[in-house]
Amino acid sequence: MTRHLPWRLDDRPDAPFPPAETALREPDGLLALGGDLSPVRLLNAYAGGIFPWFSEGQPLLWWSPDPRMVFRTDGVHLSSRFRRSLRGSNWVLRADTRFREVIEACAASPRPGQDGTWITRDMMDAYEALHALGFAHSIEVLEGDRLVGGIYGVAIGRMFFGESMFSASSGGSKVALAGLAHTLGEWGWPLIDAQVENDHLLRMGAEHWPREQFLGMVRELVRRNEAPGAWTARVGEVSVAALVGRAS
């Protein structure tokens, strides 16, 4: 079932979203507009397989595309040549120590075919609020004190919804994604949402899933018992040279 116009959300932060299955076919996945970026609304959205995506000056738009881009946590691929180049690396991986810097770096990173960024100041503030509540996380790749790459997203239950990543040095985002996948895989989390198609993600092992399959998995995983909170101590400090030796 599809509709011809996007749903206009009620002003109440806890107002329900329409079912993700009713998103428009054109533009693919547009489901609703309006509302706000309060923690309650964002968490409800992600738990329903929905995410916000809009540019400065646009109304707040909510999406659930079909198909959906996902990574299995045991399926992130780093090329043999790239892994060899990192065997002597002094990079390390940490979590939740530089969250605001990661999201600001993602906002500042140029994207092919995009003029400007969808990560507005309001978006940054909204995800920082989720971070303070223990639901939004960053994986950081560092060389000494310098941030060379990172990724951030939202975790509910045992489901991770990736939002954006960046590289300040070649390969930094690949290492951040591989580190996230390895960490989640060790914890028994099977899936990372990558939202929409991107050639770079496909080369790293991303898969197209029909929305119905994706939503079924999300609705199961978000109900798994996993307390929110910072990942800093849980992840610790991981040597990238050791990590890539285990990456596929």
Side-chain angles (χ1 to χ4, degrees), residues 73-74 93-95 139 175-190 192 231 234-236 238 243 246:
T73 54
D74 62 357
L93 184 143
R94 298 176 188 155
I139 295 292
V175 170
L177 177 59
L180 171 67
H182 176 78
T183 298
L184 296 180
E186 286 197 326
W187 295 351
W189 298 36
I192 298 170
W231 288 356
R234 190 175 182 185
V235 172
V238 180
L243 173 70
R246 300 190 294 268

Side-chain angles (χ1 to χ4, degrees), residues 103-150:
I103 195 170
E104 288 179 346
C106 289
S109 295
R111 311 286 174 183
Q114 293 185 22
D115 181 16
T117 180
W118 54 270
I119 307 174
T120 64
R121 184 64 53 184
D122 286 346
M123 289 281 273
M124 292 184 202
D125 292 345
Y127 286 89
E128 194 162 35
L130 280 185
H131 175 63
L133 293 171
F135 289 102
H137 302 279
S138 59
I139 295 292
E140 305 118 12
V141 183
L142 298 115
E143 182 176 41
D145 194 50
R146 188 171 75 92
L147 196 59
V148 298

Side-chain angles (χ1 to χ4, degrees), residues 33-230:
L33 58 86
D36 58 23
L37 293 170
S38 64
V40 169
R41 197 181 306 263
L42 283 170
L43 292 173
N44 285 342
Y46 283 104
I50 301 159
F51 60 88
W53 188 24
F54 61 101
S55 299
E56 195 78 60
Q58 287 185 327
L60 211 167
L61 303 175
W62 302 87
W63 303 79
S64 186
D66 186 15
R68 190 74 161 231
M69 201 69 147
V70 301
F71 283 99
R72 300 177 192 269
T73 54
D74 62 357
V76 174
H77 173 70
L78 298 176
S79 71
S80 297
R81 180 178 181 182
F82 181 55
R83 284 189 285 118
R84 285 195 300 271
S85 75
L86 291 171
R87 283 177 184 164
S89 171
N90 63 349
W91 290 2
V92 297
L93 184 143
R94 298 176 188 155
D96 288 343
T97 66
R98 309 273 283 268
F99 183 85
R100 184 72 181 206
E101 287 179 66
V102 169
I103 195 170
E104 288 179 346
C106 289
S109 295
R111 311 286 174 183
Q114 293 185 22
D115 181 16
T117 180
W118 54 270
I119 307 174
T120 64
R121 184 64 53 184
D122 286 346
M123 289 281 273
M124 292 184 202
D125 292 345
Y127 286 89
E128 194 162 35
L130 280 185
H131 175 63
L133 293 171
F135 289 102
H137 302 279
S138 59
I139 295 292
E140 305 118 12
V141 183
L142 298 115
E143 182 176 41
D145 194 50
R146 188 171 75 92
L147 196 59
V148 298
I151 187 171
Y152 78 95
V154 175
I156 305 175
R158 291 194 176 186
M159 179 68 204
F160 190 87
F161 303 89
E163 273 298 314
S164 189
M165 58 187 183
F166 83 97
S167 292
S169 291
S170 179
S173 64
K174 293 180 182 179
V175 170
L177 177 59
L180 171 67
H182 176 78
T183 298
L184 296 180
E186 286 197 326
W187 295 351
W189 298 36
L191 205 64
I192 298 170
D193 176 27
Q195 297 183 347
V196 294
E197 181 170 337
N198 168 314
D199 288 343
H200 173 62
L201 300 182
L202 285 170
R203 287 192 294 270
M204 291 189 68
E207 303 175 7
H208 292 106
W209 279 23
R211 183 170 55 214
E212 182 179 5
Q213 178 185 359
F214 172 76
L215 293 175
M217 182 67 84
V218 166
R219 287 163 181 162
E220 174 190 344
L221 291 174
V222 297
R223 292 196 298 268
R224 302 262 182 103
N225 187 27
E226 195 77 37

